[in-house]
Amino acid sequence: MPVIQSNTSPAMAVWKITETASELMELLNSKDNSELEYIKTIKSETRKKEYLAVRLLLRDLTQKNFTIAYHPDGSPYLTNNSKLNISISHTKDYAAVILSEETAPGIDIEYCSPRAWKLKERFLSVDELKFAENENIATVFWCAKETAFKALKQENMDFIRHLTVVAFSGEENTGVLKIREQKTENRQIFTINYSLSGSYILTWTT
């Protein structure tokens, strides 16, 4: 199976999806009838492959067959009384999973494209725009804010008003951002790691 990036601390992995949905189904070999019935309802081939790849990554990381469910706010969690917290992401032909027992993690993966650059005024403040010098940096900022949003687990987030990049440093392909949330009274600061690997950008926090 094409796990192309894997860490043990934190426990996370990225899968490049080259298989068909049928091939992924065979690899998953699920015995959960309710899950199998749900998979049948997924009409989009792309969406089905993402769903299956995420669950295969989870099994690869834990060596167990956990079930992923979702809170009302859309954030995922593991059933079966698991103590593990999970965050997932997928983009064009890639899926990513991160796990943590101590904290609420966040992860985001985005295919390198001009999209974030074109939409940067929608998620970056005037001050943040000064640092978004090119498509990759704009995408890193977008991914980092998505990662903080997933870790914070708050509804109705405004990426400009509620998430602020307060520090940004790195080399050509790796680095760290700090993002302050202004949605809650805690005003938590998230440390977001990022890496650029060929055709995708990955950000994560634990």
Side-chain angles (χ1 to χ4, degrees), residues 70-106:
Y70 294 88
H71 293 293
D73 65 2
S75 60
Y77 68 94
L78 300 181
T79 61
N80 313 106
N81 297 315
S82 173
K83 296 181 180 180
L84 289 169
N85 299 304
I86 184 173
S87 182
I88 63 179
S89 183
H90 35 70
T91 189
K92 181 181 178 182
D93 296 330
Y94 295 97
V97 170
I98 189 169
L99 301 167
S100 176
E101 196 169 313
E102 293 80 20
T103 60

Side-chain angles (χ1 to χ4, degrees), residues 5-198:
Q5 184 171 337
S6 182
N7 291 52
T8 56
S9 182
M12 69 176 190
V14 175
W15 184 319
K16 180 171 176 56
I17 306 170
T18 59
E19 304 86 351
T20 65
S22 296
E23 290 170 334
L24 292 170
M25 281 287 291
E26 288 184 17
L27 288 171
L28 186 63
N29 193 26
S30 175
K31 300 299 190 293
D32 185 332
N33 289 328
S34 61
E35 180 174 57
L36 292 172
E37 288 301 315
Y38 175 75
I39 293 171
K40 290 179 183 178
T41 69
I42 304 175
K43 303 302 182 185
S44 166
E45 178 81 0
T46 298
R47 175 71 188 91
K48 188 177 292 187
K49 289 195 294 184
E50 291 170 347
Y51 179 95
L52 294 166
V54 162
R55 279 141 186 87
L56 284 163
L57 274 177
L58 175 60
R59 190 173 68 188
D60 184 65
L61 286 169
T62 64
Q63 303 301 307
K64 295 180 180 179
N65 291 313
F66 286 112
T67 299
I68 302 174
Y70 294 88
H71 293 293
D73 65 2
S75 60
Y77 68 94
L78 300 181
T79 61
N80 313 106
N81 297 315
S82 173
K83 296 181 180 180
L84 289 169
N85 299 304
I86 184 173
S87 182
I88 63 179
S89 183
H90 35 70
T91 189
K92 181 181 178 182
D93 296 330
Y94 295 97
V97 170
I98 189 169
L99 301 167
S100 176
E101 196 169 313
E102 293 80 20
T103 60
I107 196 167
D108 195 64
I109 187 168
E110 292 288 339
Y111 192 79
C112 294
S113 75
R115 182 170 178 267
W117 178 256
K118 293 177 180 177
L119 300 176
K120 59 185 183 295
E121 287 84 2
R122 297 188 185 182
F123 62 90
L124 295 178
S125 68
V126 173
D127 289 336
E128 290 168 340
L129 285 169
K130 296 175 184 177
F131 296 97
E133 300 173 347
N134 55 52
E135 292 177 4
N136 281 350
I137 295 178
T139 305
V140 167
F141 280 21
W142 167 257
C143 290
K145 289 195 175 190
E146 277 283 349
T147 297
F149 164 69
K150 291 177 179 180
L152 189 59
K153 301 184 188 301
Q154 291 285 319
E155 297 183 24
N156 302 315
M157 293 282 290
D158 183 298
F159 277 22
I160 294 179
R161 292 190 298 114
H162 296 144
L163 296 173
T164 303
V165 178
V166 295
F168 171 54
S169 61
E171 301 175 359
E172 183 178 358
N173 295 318
T174 62
V176 176
L177 298 89
K178 290 188 180 296
I179 292 182
R180 177 185 291 115
E181 60 90 2
Q182 300 175 85
K183 177 71 172 178
T184 73
E185 293 181 356
N186 293 331
R187 298 295 191 268
Q188 185 175 352
I189 294 180
F190 295 95
T191 299
I192 313 288
N193 298 279
Y194 74 85
S195 66
L196 284 70
S197 301

